[in-house]
Amino acid sequence: AQSVTQLDSQVPVFEEAPVELRCNYSSSVSVYLFWYVQYPNQGLQLLLKYLSGSTLVKGINGFEAEFNKSQTSFHLRKPSVHISDTAEYFCAVRGTSYGKLTFGQGTILTVHP
Amino acid sequence: NAGVTQTPKFQVLKTGQSMTLQCAQDMNHNSMYWYRQDPGMGLRLIYYSASEGTTDKGEVPNGYNVSRLNKREFSLRLESAAPSQTSVYFCASSPVGSYEQYFGPGTRLTVT
């Protein structure tokens, strides 16, 4: 079984500032890792994923995340945020041989002008 | 392509009433999923269907039933709604061999 912990429930930040959303996971098997974004009143959209290879993965809208196996983390970063990045972000994990996703509790990112 | 569609968008039920949430996808995906989203709890899997003709329980199946009507459609039924089932419900689908799930826009359900 896997579990995911998103360490911050809310992150306020000013426009053009950098941001990091933290995600730690627990698993007894190898995992795939994902970040999803949910804009207000919408469904979830895949932001980026780590399956294998380079531990630094780049996604849409200028976001990137780094997989750190020793610290079991997959933190999401963006060097300069925009108002339009205001949304809820979910980290998710699944085992490499098991199809179901386990989601974290979500982090609400609010970008202020 | 419409992707994943869900109906209705909003619903208010009284305790004890029944209803069916509909989900359809036009991407020829094999796997389909039902989640519920509650504040501070992320998304929790209710039921999933790995392929047409099969369904399995997820993390929180109690109080729900599902039907995989065909490859396109996967419905979620509440036989006797309870206030604890007030939530936003998302349907998702995934193609064979892919690790990505595609989500619908959600159904916001309130049980009074």
Side-chain angles (χ1 to χ4, degrees):
Chain A
Q2 298 93 33
S3 65
V4 179
T5 302
Q6 291 183 239
L7 298 161
D8 306 291
S9 59
Q10 298 196 50
V11 174
V13 66
F14 287 107
E15 196 172 17
E16 297 183 7
V19 71
E20 178 179 81
L21 307 183
R22 297 178 294 166
C23 172
N24 284 95
Y25 69 93
S26 167
S27 177
S28 57
V29 298
S30 297
V31 296
Y32 299 133
L33 294 152
F34 306 82
W35 276 99
Y36 281 84
V37 59
Q38 183 182 30
Y39 298 105
N41 299 312
Q42 294 187 27
L44 278 70
Q45 178 183 353
L46 184 67
L47 204 53
L48 51 77
K49 59 182 182 273
Y50 171 79
L51 304 180
S52 65
S54 172
T55 56
L56 182 65
V57 292
K58 294 189 186 299
I60 60 171
N61 301 338
F63 283 92
E64 62 181 34
E66 184 152 24
F67 170 52
N68 187 320
K69 190 173 181 179
S70 63
Q71 297 189 4
T72 60
S73 68
F74 190 55
H75 301 333
L76 181 70
R77 302 186 185 101
K78 185 169 183 179
S80 176
V81 294
H82 303 288
I83 298 284
S84 59
D85 292 323
T86 294
E88 189 162 15
Y89 293 79
F90 292 93
C91 183
V93 63
R94 58 156 279 185
T96 55
S97 60
Y98 187 61
K100 291 184 283 184
L101 283 175
T102 300
F103 286 86
Q105 304 91 325
T107 298
I108 297 173
L109 173 66
T110 305
V111 181
H112 298 283
Chain B
N1 273 352
V4 180
T5 57
Q6 293 182 238
T7 55
K9 285 188 173 15
F10 302 94
Q11 183 72 48
V12 179
L13 291 178
K14 293 189 190 313
T15 297
Q17 288 184 318
S18 62
M19 80 160 295
T20 300
L21 281 63
Q22 306 286 355
C23 173
Q25 51 91 9
D26 62 2
M27 298 176 284
N28 201 36
H29 288 174
N30 272 33
S31 301
M32 297 186 74
Y33 309 83
W34 275 106
Y35 293 91
R36 59 177 289 172
Q37 182 182 26
D38 302 291
M41 301 188 75
L43 276 76
R44 292 179 293 169
L45 184 66
I46 305 171
Y47 270 94
Y48 70 103
S49 171
S51 60
E52 186 179 354
T54 69
T55 60
D56 282 289
K57 295 178 181 178
E59 185 184 351
V60 288
N62 290 348
Y64 305 96
N65 285 301
V66 291
S67 296
R68 182 76 183 265
L69 304 168
N70 47 53
K71 193 170 186 179
R72 288 187 67 247
E73 298 171 288
F74 189 37
S75 61
L76 179 72
R77 182 158 179 86
L78 287 69
E79 290 291 351
S80 179
S84 60
Q85 294 177 305
T86 293
S87 188
V88 181
Y89 291 85
F90 287 100
C91 178
S93 69
S94 180
V96 172
S98 172
Y99 310 106
E100 182 173 353
Q101 293 186 14
Y102 296 77
F103 285 81
T107 294
R108 189 173 295 274
L109 176 67
T110 302
V111 183
T112 62

